[in-house]
Amino acid sequence: METGYVRLDVYFEDPFWVCLCRRGSGIAWEASKIVFGAEPKDCQVYDFLLANYHRLEFSPSMEGRELSEPKASNPKREKRRIKRRLAAMGTGTKAQQALRLQREQGKAARRQAARENRDTERNRQYALRREKQKEKHKGH
C-alpha cells in the first residue's frame, strides 16, 4: 500500500495570508494555493481544509528529484553545479513552480477560449454584413 502526505505552509504574502497545500505520494506531488484575508488561526485553517479539501484545484502532478549525489570536495565546483541546476529549474520552490505551471495552463485555456469567442463574433458580424448587403441588393 502506498502512503501519501499533505503539507500545509501558511505565510504572509503582502497584503494577504496564503496557505500553500501540497499533497503527494512517493516522489510525485501536487500543489494548491488558498488565499485568506486576515491572519487565520490554526483551527480556522483546519476547519477550512476539512470543509473544502475536495474542492481545491491542485496543479498537475510533478515528479520530485532525489538528490543523492556525493558531496564535491571543491566548493567552487559545487557552487557552479548548484548555479547550473537552479538555472535549469527556474526560480522558486517546487510548489511555486507547480503553481506557475497551473497558471500557465489556465492562461493557455483562457487564450484559446478568447480566440474562439473572437472568431465566432467575427463570423457573426460578417454574416450580418452579408445579410445587409443582400437586403440592399434586393431593391424596394
Side-chain angles (χ1 to χ4, degrees):
M1 182 170 109
E2 202 170 305
T3 60
Y5 66 89
V6 175
R7 178 176 172 181
L8 299 174
D9 297 317
V10 179
Y11 58 94
F12 184 71
E13 191 174 276
D14 198 31
F16 302 112
W17 283 86
V18 176
C19 177
L20 187 61
C21 182
R22 290 182 268 181
R23 71 178 178 189
S25 60
I27 58 172
W29 55 275
E30 303 162 336
S32 179
K33 184 177 182 180
I34 306 162
V35 178
F36 293 104
E39 181 176 4
K41 295 181 181 172
D42 292 342
C43 61
Q44 291 172 329
V45 173
Y46 183 69
D47 290 340
F48 178 83
L49 285 175
L50 286 177
N52 300 307
Y53 183 78
H54 63 283
R55 289 189 212 141
L56 294 180
E57 293 182 21
F58 284 91
S59 68
S61 183
M62 296 184 67
E63 296 292 323
R65 285 196 203 177
E66 293 192 33
L67 301 175
S68 60
E69 297 176 9
K71 187 163 181 125
S73 59
N74 187 339
K76 289 183 180 180
R77 181 178 298 138
E78 185 66 24
K79 187 176 179 181
R80 286 192 299 265
R81 184 178 294 141
I82 291 170
K83 189 174 180 179
R84 280 194 302 266
R85 189 179 301 149
L86 287 176
M89 284 179 19
T91 58
T93 63
K94 291 180 182 180
Q96 289 170 337
Q97 290 173 1
L99 291 172
R100 185 180 311 118
L101 178 63
Q102 184 181 17
R103 278 193 304 269
E104 289 171 1
Q105 289 177 345
K107 190 186 297 185
R110 282 191 305 275
R111 284 182 181 164
Q112 180 67 24
R115 184 180 303 122
E116 289 171 1
N117 288 341
R118 199 169 40 243
D119 289 344
T120 56
E121 182 62 23
R122 282 184 188 154
N123 291 339
R124 189 183 71 79
Q125 292 288 339
Y126 178 75
L128 286 174
R129 281 197 313 271
R130 293 296 296 164
E131 191 66 34
K132 202 172 191 181
Q133 287 174 351
K134 285 182 183 180
E135 286 295 322
K136 285 183 178 181
H137 186 70
K138 282 183 182 177
H140 295 34

